[in-house]
Amino acid sequence: MITLSVNGTSRTLDVEPDTPLLYVLRDNLALHGPKFGCGLAQCGSCTVLLDGKAVRSCSVAVSKVGSGKIVTLEGLGTPDKPHPIQQAFIDEQAAQCGYCVNGMIMQTAAFLGARQSAPSDRDIRQALRDNLCRCGTHQRIIAAVKRAAALMGKGA
Ligand code: FES
Ligand code: FES
């Protein structure tokens, strides 16, 4: 048995210790925000927060999470009350197929959560450089991150 803290709730699960965290989130907990893209820590679509840091859940064995606090896309906000980053992505229509958006939002949550000042385009590109979007929605994603920073009160 493994006990995880997911979106503020303690969950005890009967899973193999080397099961990727992504599989447990999706298959055992029906949290479908994190996506399976490459399965090799290369695309970012499976990103979740672990103690506030962005991690690629496809490449973290569930047994390695320990007492760390996991937050998934579902834990950021709700359809009725989206997190400012989610709202900014909606406002900027920053998705085409949408497959990368979980990773973009969760990486942005770690990025903006760790800074006080408004990010430049360069800062945002740097922060999201390892999150892949095959649709080419990058300009809208950058606009969404800037909007989110403003909504979150990140100063200039
Ligand atoms: S599915 Fe995890 S990084 Fe691609
Ligand atoms: S919107 Fe399709 S992969 Fe980014």
Side-chain angles (χ1 to χ4, degrees), residues 2-154:
I2 285 181
T3 300
L4 299 174
S5 167
V6 183
N7 297 333
T9 302
S10 179
R11 308 293 298 262
T12 299
L13 302 156
D14 185 8
V15 291
E16 293 296 323
D18 59 353
T19 308
L21 174 61
L22 175 63
Y23 297 3
V24 174
L25 295 173
R26 290 183 58 88
D27 299 341
N28 297 82
L29 299 177
L31 294 167
H32 296 146
K35 301 286 185 287
F36 183 95
C38 63
L40 297 167
Q42 292 182 355
C43 74
S45 65
C46 64
T47 302
V48 300
L49 299 183
L50 180 57
D51 290 334
K53 294 200 170 68
V55 298
R56 301 198 162 185
S57 63
C58 68
S59 299
V60 177
V62 68
S63 60
K64 299 290 184 197
V65 173
S67 60
K69 295 189 178 356
I70 300 160
V71 176
T72 70
L73 188 69
E74 293 87 345
L76 278 190
T78 64
D80 289 341
K81 198 172 177 201
H83 185 281
I85 299 172
Q86 293 168 317
Q87 187 63 56
F89 272 70
I90 294 166
D91 292 345
E92 295 291 343
Q93 294 287 287
Q96 287 190 46
C97 78
Y99 208 84
C100 69
V101 169
N102 168 74
M104 296 292 183
I105 288 177
M106 300 311 288
Q107 193 74 36
T108 298
F111 168 56
L112 292 181
R115 64 179 293 141
Q116 298 304 319
S117 58
S120 66
D121 284 19
R122 190 162 184 270
D123 295 334
I124 296 167
R125 284 199 185 93
Q126 181 76 8
L128 298 180
R129 69 185 185 282
D130 293 327
N131 287 72
L132 305 185
C133 172
R134 60 191 163 182
C135 297
T137 322
H138 303 83
Q139 289 305 325
R140 289 187 181 199
I141 291 170
I142 291 170
V145 176
K146 285 182 138 175
R147 181 186 283 261
L151 289 173
M152 294 168 73
K154 304 292 175 181

